[in-house]
Amino acid sequence: MQSELVLQVVVNGILLGGFYALVTLGLNLIFGVMDVTNFAHGDLIMLAAYFSYWAAELLGMDPITFIPVNAALMFLVGLAFYRAALKPVLKAPAYNQIALTFGFSIFLQSLALILWTSDMRQIEVPYASSVLQLGPVSVGLGKLIAFLIAFGFTLGFLVFLSRTKLGGAMRSVSQDPMAASLMGIDVDRIYLLTSGIASLLAGVAGSLVTLNLYINPFIGGELTLKAFGVVILGGMGSYLGMIVASMVLGLAEAFVGAFVPQGGSLAPGIAFAVIVAVLALRPKGLFGR
């Protein structure tokens, strides 16, 4: 019985970790290419979650089928965010960049409060509460779908980054923008597309959030905090480290939630305690250089 429970917790942790990897991907991309820590990334996910919610409420669209539309909308938001806010501070001191993205985060939360109040909202889809029995393990269909989509987009993005011309240009800019410019790469265009793609990934994550979580204007802050913890634990800019750290965070939360009294409330705090403990041994993260 105990081994079946442990297996169930491991599966739950992996499903959660897969979602965290997608949540973190856009934050890691912006930092890796533009050297900017975007504290508003979680709030972009919150905004996308509301887009998905209202598409379901007003148009009857399923969150999964809405993903392409949501991704396109958020891509445009990312382009506008770069032109209006990120570009002017790219060469500014780091604290100016932090102030800007943190201020944009507060702006998005306030805007959501004004437009949609602080009410908790959730989309009711029939398959989200269905459970699949896979041997000794029970898997919620909503969580499984969210994991598979998150895994697919994460893997697809890594293939795009390593195998395409645009991905190669983004990697070149991330290593040395000046050298990339001398090679004929339009660095400003790469920055623009990086912001758009990071926001697109937030759009996909936002649709998945509505499958399993209640949404409110402040959900983005928690997601940003977890994504930031994952990026630091994995090593800033490392995609392999990001995936490993996402799994560590997901498994830590799942095990604490299952085996520690009142673990559901303690899980987020204990998970970050694990991150602090690892960073005490490896200050640059698991895969940081």
Side-chain angles (χ1 to χ4, degrees):
M1 180 64 74
Q2 189 69 12
S3 61
E4 293 180 356
L5 177 59
V6 170
L7 181 60
Q8 178 70 59
V9 173
V10 168
V11 171
N12 291 344
I14 291 174
L15 295 179
L16 192 57
F19 173 68
Y20 286 156
L22 179 63
V23 167
T24 308
L25 198 53
L27 182 71
N28 208 24
L29 176 64
I30 291 269
F31 179 81
V33 176
M34 302 169 66
D35 201 21
V36 171
T37 304
N38 181 14
F39 283 92
H41 186 70
D43 298 284
L44 292 173
I45 295 174
M46 175 272 293
L47 184 65
Y50 272 109
F51 286 166
S52 186
Y53 173 82
W54 287 114
E57 286 293 308
L58 301 178
L59 305 176
M61 293 188 69
D62 186 279
I64 302 302
T65 57
F66 187 66
I67 285 178
V69 180
N70 213 2
L73 285 173
M74 292 306 297
F75 179 78
L76 296 177
V77 170
L79 298 185
F81 180 45
Y82 173 75
R83 288 297 189 204
L86 285 181
K87 184 176 180 180
V89 299
L90 277 181
K91 296 181 180 179
Y95 52 78
N96 285 15
Q97 299 171 352
I98 292 173
L100 182 138
T101 60
F102 189 72
F104 188 59
S105 165
I106 299 299
F107 168 76
L108 288 179
Q109 290 177 19
S110 301
L111 183 65
L113 265 175
I114 293 171
L115 293 177
W116 305 308
T117 75
S118 60
D119 292 348
M120 304 289 281
R121 302 172 191 269
Q122 187 179 36
I123 299 175
E124 297 291 341
V125 287
Y127 54 82
S129 57
S130 299
V131 177
L132 296 178
Q133 192 66 39
L134 305 174
V137 177
S138 300
V139 180
L141 186 56
K143 291 181 179 179
L144 180 60
I145 292 174
F147 170 80
L148 292 175
I149 293 175
F151 178 78
F153 268 91
T154 302
L155 183 62
F157 172 78
L158 296 180
V159 171
F160 156 79
L161 200 61
S162 61
R163 299 294 177 85
T164 67
K165 185 177 179 181
L166 178 58
M170 294 171 77
R171 285 187 286 114
S172 298
V173 172
S174 71
Q175 293 169 3
D176 191 334
M178 181 64 73
S181 178
L182 293 174
M183 292 169 60
I185 295 174
D186 186 339
V187 175
D188 182 60
R189 178 173 172 271
I190 295 301
Y191 285 158
L192 175 68
L193 292 175
T194 297
S195 179
I197 292 171
S199 190
L200 178 155
L201 294 167
V204 178
S207 287
L208 299 184
V209 163
T210 58
L211 281 181
N212 298 302
L213 299 174
Y214 287 96
I215 60 173
N216 64 69
F218 305 109
I219 194 174
E222 182 180 349
L223 292 174
T224 296
L225 190 60
K226 289 186 176 181
F228 197 59
V230 166
V231 169
I232 293 175
L233 178 61
M236 301 291 275
S238 168
Y239 292 102
L240 176 60
M242 178 202 73
I243 293 173
V244 173
S246 296
M247 292 301 164
V248 169
L249 182 62
L251 288 168
E253 288 192 5
F255 271 93
V256 171
F259 293 107
V260 176
Q262 298 183 342
S265 301
L266 292 173
I270 297 296
F272 278 100
V274 172
I275 291 176
V276 171
V278 173
L279 290 179
L281 299 173
R282 290 185 60 85
K284 292 186 178 181
L286 295 173
F287 293 85
R289 296 178 179 176

